[in-house]
Every structure is written in C-alpha cells, then in structure tokens.
Amino acid sequence: MYLLLAAHADGAALQELTADGTPHPATPVPRIVSSAELTGVVRGLEQRRPRWIWHRTQNWYPALLAAGVELERCYDLTLCGAILAHSEFTAHTAYAQNAEKLTQDEELQPPRALQPPPPPADQGALFDDPGLRKTPRHSPEDLRAEYAAQQEALSQAEGPGAERHGGNRRQRLQLLLAAESAGAMIAAEMQHTGVPWREELHEQILAGYLGPRPAAGHRPAKLEALTAELRQLLDSPSLNPDSPQELMRALHRNGIEVKTTRQWELKESSHPAIEPLLAFKKLSRLHAANGWVWLDAWVKNGRFQPEYVVGGVVSGRWASRGGGALQIPRQIRGAVHADPGHKLIVADASQLEPRVLVALAQDARMAEAARDKDLYAGIAAQGFGGDRAKAKVALLGAIYGATTGESGRLMPQLTRTYPRAVGFVEHAAREGEAGRTVTSRLGRSSPPPSDRWLQSQQSTSAEEQRRADSIARSRGRFTRNFVVQGSAADWAACWLAELRRRLRALRADGTPAGELVFFLHDEVMVHCPEAAVTACVRAIEEAANAAKELLFGKIPVEFPVSVAVVDSYDHAK
DNA sequence: ATGATGCGCGCG
DNA sequence: AAAGCGCGCGCATCAT
C-alpha cells in the first residue's frame, strides 16, 4: 500500500496510490485531514503497513515521533529525487535530463516539483516550527506526479549502458532508494531518542583535564597555567597562544622555524616550549569544542540529540548539524553511558572500505587476505613480508590516491600483488581526471566536474597546463575515493536499515530489544536492556551479512563486525 | 558591527 | 611517522 501524505491548507492531504504512482481507484481525490485528527489517522492507517510517500521525512516524521507515532517505511521524494536526478543508471531518462536542465537554466535544485521545500505549516501545535519558511507548498498532485516521474525513471534504469554495470541496475537503485528513505526515518528516530549522556560524568572529565569550571568567558585553570608558562618560555608576556599569528611570531623569535602551527610540524622541534604548547592546544580544543559551553547547549535531560543530515555528503555518507555529533572526541566518550539496567552495544564494521574495494574489484587474491579477520594482516602476509603497518599504509594510500611519502612508494608493490583491486581505483581516478562521472555499487553517482575543472580545460600556456593537470589529479583523487567511500556508504545504509527492521521485529514479538541511538559511517550504537543484549548483537551481525549479500550477492568476502557490550562508550574498541 | 574565509583539529 | 579522501565547528582574521 502506497500512501501519499502532503501538506494542505486545512491540514494534510492523504491519497492512496498504486505502485507506479497513479491514484488508486478507491481514492481518485485526496482525503483532507485536519491537523487535529492527523496523528490519529496516521496511527490508524499504519496498521495496514503502508509505504508513506512524502516530500521530506524531516518535515513530517519528527512531529509524528513527538506525538508517539512510529512508522515502518516511507519514500522520501527529496532524497530519492536527488539520487535519481544524478545517477548514471538513470542519466538517459527524461527525469534526469529535465532535472539537469532545470539546475542549469533556472538555478533550481532537482527534482523539479520539490523546490522550494514546502513546510507542513499551519498544522496546529503539532507541527509548529518557526524555523520552517513560509513558501509556496506543493499540491498533492505535484507530489503525486513527482513520485510517478521517479518511478518511471527507476523502471528505465535497466536501459542503455546497463551491461557496463553488470546489470541489476534497477534492483540496485531501488534498494538504494529504500535504504536512503529508511535512513531518513532512522535519523529522525535517533534524534528523537538521543544518545544517553551523563552530564556529571562529562563534568568530571572536564575537571580532570581543565580544572574547575571557570566563570563564563574565562580560561580554565589548567589553560591559564599553560599560558603563563608559554609566555615565559617564549619570552612573550602578552602572548595569546590561541592566535596562530601571534604564536607564529613568538615561535620565530625563539628560533623555532615552522611554516605552520600544526601539531605534527611542531613535533619536529625540540624546544622546551613545544611540549606545553601541544598540551595547550589539546586542552584548548577540548574546552572550546566539547567543554561546559557545549554541555549546556547540547545535552538536555541526559540525552544528546543531534540532527543527522542524510544525504549530506555527496558520497552518501551522513553529515550532522549542531554539536559536532560525528566528531565526539575520545577524551569525553566516558560521558556516553548506558541507563541503569541497560548496556551500550557498540559495533563497527572492521576495515570496511578495503573490504568494499575487494568486493567491487572482485580481486580473488585480495579476497583471500580478506578472509582473515584482520584484513591488513592478511595483505601483509601475502605481499609485505608480514609488515602489517606497511600493508595498511599502502592500501589506504591506494584508496585515497597517495603519490608521495611511504604510501606512494609502496604503490608499485601493492599493484604487483593486487592488479585488479588497484586497477579498479586507478580506473575511477582516470575517469574523474577526464571529467567523467563515477558511480557507487548501488547507483549513487559523483557530481559533474566543477567550474574550476571546466575552465582549466581551456588552458594554453605551459603554466596553465600544469595547473590544469593539478586540478584534474585532484578530481581523480576524489572520484577514486568516491567509488569506495560511496559503496561503503551504500553498505552502511543497508546495514542500518536491516538492523532497524530486525529490532522492530523483536519488539513486535514482545522480546525486549534495544534502540538505535548513534550512527557514524561504519559504526552503530544500540542502547538496550541487559536482557536484550544477546538478541541485539545477533541482529547487528545478521544485518551486516544481509547488507553484504544485498550489495554483492554471495561472494567469498567477509564483512566482519566487531561488537563491544559496554556501560560507557570509552570502553568500546 | 557583521559576514566570509582560512586554519587547525576532531571524527570516519 | 606520515599529508591522500570525506565532513563540522570554533576561533582568529580579513573584507565589507
């Protein structure tokens, strides 16, 4: 069952559609539901397990969750439209070509019917959101047509050029759209739930590193002491060590000839001021980024509730807004603590990107190494005389496009042992250098070349040509990484969606189950009652294997998940 | 005063 | 030990 939910002046419009987006005979005209009755109506209809089709998950779902309504599945027109408008799998369709034309001619973002975002405004207290703009909204008919157009494009994905991607393009893209929409729901659910965060533990950690909480706008004691020490050691009585300019001058006056004030460059010097300076930088960062101010701003009632931005990174990774949710430093992870009677299950996919590369390239030799729980150890044994560190640097260098340093020097050695895997990323790099698009396993494509790249193609002089080559190589490094990072994001999206499905199934059975509370590229955190730990761990592992098979079928490559059951986040890993 | 940009550093 | 991919954020600094 497909149910369109659209904003309407009198509340919301509901319409049942068929799979291809035509109105269901039973509902030729949308049903208008007042804002007051909307929650109840949605809750009732959910019994029939529909796929809710809406403009943006973020416009509808948070308010429904706040009202206690959880839904099973949706179709996010904005996220799916963005994928379809750019995917190589649908590049030949009218949908993508119209979207492309609109972006170029009118500076509008695709998909065409969805710009600008319509607020589900005027829907009573439930949907009050002063942050939403009052802009022209889209009629149910606009959204229905948009959905039909997207389904049409999807159905054509098996078109010209399909063999280049090994077929199955429609199924893969369909899977990606489902996973992306599920991701949008998970993001809203995780924001609603929040990460369990013990404020008093956070404060203990801060006090340990920085001293007692200072008055607003003042440096904590430890930073004051280090500042005084640095002023003396560098003979600069008024130095502000937070200012790179002042710091640079002071360092130079003392014969410390650095070109930047970055940590790794400072570490080269043996001057007595370096050690306290590095300590200052470390603590200053903690204070500024995750200190008392952060705690006051972002943690409420024992929960950290960041906003996740699904589709926020072109590769398909999520971004986040507010509180630096994807950069929680190790120093303060001790504050992430399970509730009484609960545990945190922290699981991460071990060495995800190299394993994805093995599967993408179908490199049989590297697949042997990937049978090892520790892929880098396997690679080291095969081609690097057992030197794990070398194997790791070489492989990551291949994925990132390293040319210099140890990583660059190891490339020939890696290429000899694994010509297929290295050839795969080299090919992606050459495509990017030539201005072409590359695509993830499930069909998310890289953006077209930047204006900078296009302009550089006009170069005439030798100087301009060097510049053009540099810009091309930079794009090559991006597309080289895109195929791996993007496919890893495909895998992670499927992992997450499969895990959510299993956790919901456990709950529906009446089995105690945990809740997803955090997701970070290749890592998930489930907060669960102690009695549910075993079932949740199994769900996480089964979901990982399911994700592998959804992407690649039954292949002889493992995607092992390392699982830690802990009271606090700092005890994971 | 306010907004944009660059640096540096946190995470994967 | 290192400089190659993707982000967000706070501060200092520069431009308006």
Side-chain angles (χ1 to χ4, degrees), chain A residues 113-162:
Chain A
L114 299 181
Q115 193 54 230
D122 307 323
Q123 294 185 356
L126 177 61
F127 290 107
D128 266 358
D129 185 344
L132 290 172
R133 282 174 293 160
K134 300 262 181 189
T135 44
R137 64 189 59 164
H138 299 295
S139 69
E141 179 52 27
D142 287 341
L143 295 184
R144 190 202 62 72
E146 175 62 28
Y147 179 70
Q150 290 188 16
Q151 292 306 300
E152 168 88 1
L154 179 62
S155 73
Q156 294 164 354
E158 216 62 73

Side-chain angles (χ1 to χ4, degrees), chain A residues 9-12 32-43 64 67 122-127:
Chain A
D10 299 324
I32 309 304
V33 178
S34 76
S35 33
E37 39 177 12
L38 182 62
T39 309
V41 170
V42 168
R43 197 196 307 269
L64 289 166
D122 307 323
Q123 294 185 356
L126 177 61
F127 290 107

Side-chain angles (χ1 to χ4, degrees), chain A residues 336-415:
Chain A
V336 181
H337 199 287
D339 287 351
H342 287 63
K343 290 285 182 187
L344 297 174
I345 306 177
V346 183
D348 79 279
S350 316
Q351 304 149 344
L352 178 60
E353 293 196 351
R355 290 174 195 277
V356 164
L357 174 57
V358 176
L360 287 171
Q362 300 179 49
D363 188 311
R365 187 91 205 274
M366 200 180 271
E368 281 174 38
R371 225 157 287 156
D372 200 313
K373 267 263 173 196
D374 182 353
L375 174 141
Y376 297 127
I379 303 256
Q382 284 180 343
F384 291 87
D387 189 333
R388 185 184 184 279
K390 263 191 184 176
K392 181 175 178 179
V393 163
L395 191 48
L396 290 177
I399 293 172
Y400 291 149
T403 51
T404 61
E406 181 176 11
S407 186
R409 285 194 297 279
L410 290 168
M411 283 295 288
Q413 202 175 335
L414 191 74
T415 309

